[in-house]
Amino acid sequence: MATDLLTLSVTEASHLLTKKEISAVELAESYLAQIEAKNSDLKAYLEVFADVVDQAKVSDDKRSAGSHALWGIPLAVKDNILIEGRRASSASRILENYVAPYDATVITKLKTAGSVFLGRTNMDEFAMGGSTENSSFGPTKNPHDLSRVPGGSSGGSAAAVGGGLAPIALGSDTGGSIRQPASLCGAVGLKPTYGNVSRYGLMAMASSLDQIGPIARSVADARLLYETIAGRDPLDSTSVELVEPKATPEAFTIGVPYDTLTEGVDEEVLAIFNDTIAKLKGAGHLIREVSLPNLKYSLASYYVLMPAESSTNLGRFDGLRYGVAKSGANLLEDYLKTRGEGFGPEVRRRIILGTYVLSAGYYDAFYGKATAVRELVRQDYAQAFAKKNSGVDIILTPTAPTPAWLIGEKVNDPLQMYLEDIFTVPANLAGIPALSVPAGQTRAGLPVGVQLAGPHFAENNLFALGEIIEQL
Ligand code: GLN
């Protein structure tokens, strides 16, 4: 029975819960048993909540005819999303014992929908990283090969879903942190259009790039979670009213920026990508080459803008207002000790970089230029999608240039690590939605995903083509 419950999709589980053929308690207990068996190896969760079964009991008791499809469905939450009364540390020492005083808007929505919260998942400290090795509490492992990274920064959420320790999870994505770990762990992950999901209660990394989104085992489950959390929120002034989805085309016109695939992409990743293209063509979809000439500057732009915004956002962790406080001989020493000991090396690196690029006199050279490049990237996509240019519906690339790499392999080479974000970062710069869907496995059995990027508010099309790719 227990294993059967673990293989159910959210929709199937929801159906059985409605018919009272299974209970939320049974469902929660099977996930807890799986967590008990595997989490000490995987380290997907930083904390499994002590009241999971109690939550499930309440959910069973309160189920009614009109209950939401997520009613009684267990969910894992990245450690940078606030749940009132529970710890939220962003996997940082500086917030190790911080207890959230309120719910993030996505959590309020999920509570209303009847979710059962399993626990909080590991991540790179303050979401800075692509392997979860920057967690202050030790790395998460890839469920397909424990010697490898799960990707990051939402590596805990992706490993939980990919390893069967949660049916669905929330992640956050500033430059790829939902899609890349989803790809490396064999899960589906969506970065929504900027503004479609409220950021209220998400610990800010780079506010103009951050979005919360779903990680799931299937496109349908990701869609369900996304639709539950999306929508304008008066508490987040950058959130927007949802746009009525347009009908999805029968045959998609799919753009491929072939010139971005010439260098640095792993052979097997490329083979799986090309195979997906061939199958899509075979299924009657149109494949067209697109040119996104400024894409090659995306990483450079991102790694100026992101640290600039992060250094500003992290200014609040000064030992006075939040979390850990260390005392020195004077106020300056208090700051130095608190921030020096509270933040890990990658976070400090980015704060220094961000503070530098924002220094007086350097604005034009760095921040101003990076902002201009960001606009060019946005225009590249707008051009490629423009209907009047008989534009494409979706742009397809690999999600990440490589499959999961060995733990420790890239920790001493931040630039190598940053290159992993090459395909994911542009969507954050442009604010467009992008979905990673599993497309195959390497000979060694490591999952490889492809990324679908669409125009603003075209999540609908991403889900539709995503489901087609799932079934190829
Ligand atoms: N890997 C990217 C970085 O380190 C993305 C992080 C993210 O999306 N939170 O910045």
Side-chain angles (χ1 to χ4, degrees):
M1 182 67 173
T3 44
D4 289 343
L5 292 190
L6 294 175
T7 58
L8 296 174
S9 73
V10 171
T11 322
E12 288 163 346
S14 183
H15 191 61
L16 295 177
L17 283 166
T18 310
K19 291 201 296 182
K20 299 217 157 70
E21 287 184 20
I22 60 169
S23 68
V25 169
E26 286 170 322
L27 193 59
E29 280 173 343
S30 17
Y31 276 101
L32 287 175
Q34 189 75 349
I35 293 169
E36 178 69 30
K38 288 188 167 177
N39 196 53
S40 54
D41 284 336
L42 274 183
K43 302 222 163 43
Y45 288 91
L46 288 173
E47 178 187 352
V48 180
F49 298 140
D51 63 345
V52 174
V53 176
D54 295 338
Q55 292 180 56
K57 268 195 193 117
V58 173
S59 147
D60 281 333
D61 291 345
K62 293 200 172 159
R63 171 172 290 281
S64 66
S67 287
H68 191 280
L70 291 182
W71 198 270
I73 303 289
L75 167 90
V77 179
K78 188 174 179 179
D79 192 34
N80 60 353
I81 300 172
L82 304 192
I83 309 179
E84 188 182 344
R86 299 196 194 268
R87 273 200 227 172
S89 76
S90 250
S92 180
R93 291 265 172 235
I94 212 163
L95 288 177
E96 192 165 0
N97 296 313
Y98 176 74
V99 175
Y102 60 89
D103 281 327
T105 296
V106 294
I107 298 297
T108 307
K109 290 186 174 208
L110 287 164
K111 282 186 173 171
T112 310
S115 292
V116 171
F117 298 89
L118 287 171
R120 53 192 178 96
T121 54
N122 200 12
M123 55 186 280
D124 288 296
E125 185 178 7
F126 284 105
M128 297 179 185
S131 68
T132 318
E133 291 165 291
N134 295 336
S135 165
S136 303
F137 308 115
T140 297
K141 315 281 169 59
N142 191 302
H144 297 266
D145 178 346
L146 294 178
S147 66
R148 291 176 187 272
V149 300
S153 63
S154 314
S157 286
V161 171
L165 279 61
I168 42 175
L170 289 180
S172 69
D173 191 312
T174 304
S177 278
I178 289 175
R179 292 159 285 157
Q180 183 257 22
S183 173
L184 269 47
C185 291
V188 173
L190 171 77
K191 186 211 73 91
T193 303
Y194 186 79
N196 266 1
V197 175
S198 169
R199 290 180 295 112
Y200 181 73
L202 167 70
M203 290 183 194
M205 178 180 163
S207 313
S208 78
L209 303 159
D210 299 341
Q211 274 290 281
I212 296 174
I215 298 179
R217 285 197 291 246
S218 68
V219 173
D221 288 356
R223 174 179 209 146
L224 183 55
L225 180 51
Y226 164 70
E227 287 175 351
T228 310
I229 59 174
R232 191 181 125 64
D233 174 13
L235 298 172
D236 173 2
S237 61
T238 62
S239 69
V240 293
E241 293 295 344
L242 290 179
V243 174
E244 197 56 46
K246 294 202 184 78
T248 52
E250 287 238 324
F252 280 89
T253 306
I254 300 163
V256 182
Y258 282 107
D259 56 345
T260 64
L261 300 175
T262 49
E263 244 180 277
V265 184
D266 173 90
E267 238 174 69
E268 286 190 89
V269 169
L270 203 55
I272 290 168
F273 178 74
N274 286 331
D275 183 53
T276 307
I277 299 270
K279 286 183 179 152
L280 283 169
K281 225 186 232 170
H285 303 281
L286 218 69
I287 309 293
R288 183 172 323 144
E289 173 154 19
V290 287
S291 147
L292 301 164
N294 295 292
L295 221 61
K296 54 179 175 294
Y297 308 122
S298 299
L299 272 185
S301 162
Y302 173 81
Y303 276 96
V304 170
L305 297 176
M306 173 273 300
E309 291 189 30
S310 300
S311 75
T312 311
N313 277 327
L314 267 55
R316 70 187 63 151
F317 300 105
D318 54 6
L320 302 180
R321 285 170 287 186
Y322 298 93
V324 171
K326 304 260 181 208
S327 292
N330 50 43
L331 186 61
L332 179 64
E333 253 188 40
D334 289 356
Y335 286 153
L336 292 173
K337 280 185 112 165
T338 301
R339 290 170 66 86
E341 292 169 29
F343 290 135
E346 182 63 22
V347 173
R348 277 180 280 143
R349 181 180 294 127
R350 294 193 193 197
I351 290 174
I352 291 169
L353 192 63
T355 310
Y356 177 76
V357 299
L358 289 175
S359 327
Y362 287 126
Y363 177 89
D364 287 337
F366 299 115
Y367 192 83
K369 212 169 255 171
T371 308
V373 169
R374 177 179 193 170
E375 174 57 16
L376 293 176
V377 171
R378 195 191 63 75
Q379 285 173 13
D380 276 1
Y381 280 111
Q383 277 274 319
F385 292 133
K387 281 290 160 226
K388 62 174 184 341
N389 303 345
S390 58
V392 299
D393 300 309
I394 280 174
I395 292 173
L396 199 70
T397 59
T399 305
T402 69
W405 59 93
L406 292 170
I407 292 174
E409 196 181 325
K410 297 187 186 187
V411 272
N412 295 322
D413 192 348
L415 281 183
Q416 213 38 48
M417 195 81 96
Y418 298 170
L419 279 175
E420 283 295 317
D421 306 330
I422 186 131
F423 295 121
T424 48
V425 151
N428 300 75
L429 290 177
I432 58 174
L435 177 75
S436 178
V437 182
Q441 291 201 335
T442 64
R443 286 183 291 277
L446 299 172
V448 171
V450 292
Q451 174 181 254
L452 295 64
H456 295 94
F457 313 115
E459 275 85 354
N460 203 34
N461 270 350
L462 302 188
F463 292 133
L465 185 62
E467 287 196 319
I468 292 171
I469 293 176
E470 245 173 359
Q471 279 145 30
L472 284 176

